[in-house]
Amino acid sequence: MCVTGIRAFTGSERISMDYERIISSPAGIEEESMRIIEGELRERGFYEKKSYGQAELSVIKRVIHATADFDFADSLLFTFEEEPGLEAVFKADSPGEEPREKNIDIVTDTNMILSGLSKPAMKRLGAAACCLMSDEETVRQAKQRGITRAAASMERAAALYPEGIYVIGNAPTALIRIAELAAENRISPTLVIGVPVGFVNVTESKEFALKVFGAKHIPAVLSMGRKGGSTVAVAAMNALMYMFSGLSEPGKRN
């Protein structure tokens, strides 16, 4: 006998899914999810707190979609001046269907983020992505200098892509190092997604990054507090790429 918490079933009973209540198409699932998210945001008085631009709303909703956590509606902060500034970041004045020549470099702090970035959107935007965390040279430098691999990988990436997009969803030391390099005028990232997760160095890294990126006018998305993670980083970055590649509608990504 299996106890589900609602009622007990015996081994002789037939258990089947009521598919009349199930949405099966990927596009339909996403559209219904976004409808539910929009409704709950309105119920929570989200739109009464401040006015939001399209890019901010796209990020907030997609992060909630990926996590089912409405806390991100309040904890996500943005340092950019909405669409005009972001159009320059993505070089996307008029999104088209044809792939572009490579013109955007994306650096991540985990291979999970690297795997999760939308390949159709990257292709349209002419973007390439890399993660140097596991490279032999990164490991060697981190061990030799007594620093984290995350910090070492960001230093190496900064030398290669001083104006790249940095998507950080795991290591606070990665976000700290990027912010330090920006404060020292050694790099000028076109965008930073800074959403590391955890208990040690996490809130401090985001507070420091917010001060630096705000002062340097560097576009950034930051999840203040402990919450974040690779899933959040992927959702935030994909939201912006979908928006500026013309792939916001799920049916267009197939």
Side-chain angles (χ1 to χ4, degrees):
M1 182 173 67
C2 175
V3 179
T4 67
I6 299 175
R7 55 163 293 193
F9 291 91
T10 66
S12 61
E13 290 184 76
R14 178 181 174 83
I15 305 172
S16 61
M17 174 60 69
D18 179 6
Y19 276 96
E20 290 185 2
R21 300 172 55 194
I22 297 298
I23 299 174
S24 299
S25 77
I29 292 169
E30 181 174 324
E31 289 167 358
E32 178 63 8
S33 296
M34 291 301 182
R35 185 193 68 77
I36 293 170
I37 290 167
E38 174 69 15
E40 290 202 24
L41 285 174
R42 291 190 181 280
E43 288 177 4
R44 292 165 180 259
F46 173 71
Y47 294 101
E48 298 170 8
K49 299 174 183 177
K50 60 167 282 192
S51 60
Y52 296 87
Q54 185 181 354
E56 292 174 320
L57 286 175
S58 295
V59 170
I60 290 168
K61 289 179 181 179
R62 190 152 294 279
V63 168
I64 294 172
H65 176 253
T67 62
D69 188 344
F70 281 84
D71 284 354
F72 286 106
D74 297 316
S75 66
L76 286 170
L77 294 185
F78 304 84
T79 66
F80 48 72
E81 293 296 329
E82 257 313 304
E83 283 76 13
L86 289 177
E87 283 177 356
V89 170
F90 290 98
K91 303 174 178 63
D93 295 325
S94 55
E97 296 185 4
E98 294 301 318
R100 302 179 193 170
E101 295 296 324
K102 176 178 171 295
N103 61 9
I104 298 174
D105 294 300
I106 302 171
V107 178
T108 74
D109 73 326
T110 68
N111 284 308
M112 183 182 295
I113 295 173
L114 190 65
S115 298
L117 296 177
S118 170
K119 303 309 182 288
M122 288 176 62
K123 185 176 182 180
R124 280 205 187 183
L125 292 168
C130 69
C131 177
L132 304 179
M133 278 284 287
S134 299
D135 283 14
E136 290 184 7
E137 180 60 19
T138 297
V139 175
R140 186 191 68 78
Q141 287 189 21
K143 185 176 181 180
Q144 183 181 62
R145 297 167 57 194
I147 61 176
T148 66
R149 283 193 296 157
S153 72
M154 291 299 115
E155 287 187 3
R156 293 187 61 220
L160 296 169
Y161 312 110
E163 297 182 351
I165 293 175
Y166 289 82
V167 185
I168 299 168
N170 182 63
T173 53
L175 182 58
I176 290 170
R177 194 64 190 120
I178 286 299
E180 286 177 335
L181 293 169
E184 296 164 5
N185 296 317
R186 294 170 60 183
I187 61 169
S188 183
T190 53
L191 175 67
V192 178
I193 307 292
V195 293
V197 62
F199 299 94
V200 179
N201 303 326
V202 174
T203 57
E204 294 86 352
S205 71
K206 296 170 184 177
E207 290 166 1
F208 176 60
L210 181 61
K211 291 179 182 177
V212 172
F213 299 150
K216 295 291 182 180
H217 305 289
I218 293 172
V221 179
L222 302 168
S223 63
M224 307 309 289
R226 292 173 172 176
K227 292 183 178 181
S230 294
T231 299
V232 175
V234 168
M237 188 62 194
N238 280 346
L240 295 174
M241 291 200 297
Y242 290 154
M243 178 176 169
F244 288 102
S245 65
L247 293 177
S248 293
E249 297 178 17
K252 293 183 177 181
R253 298 177 214 140
N254 298 331

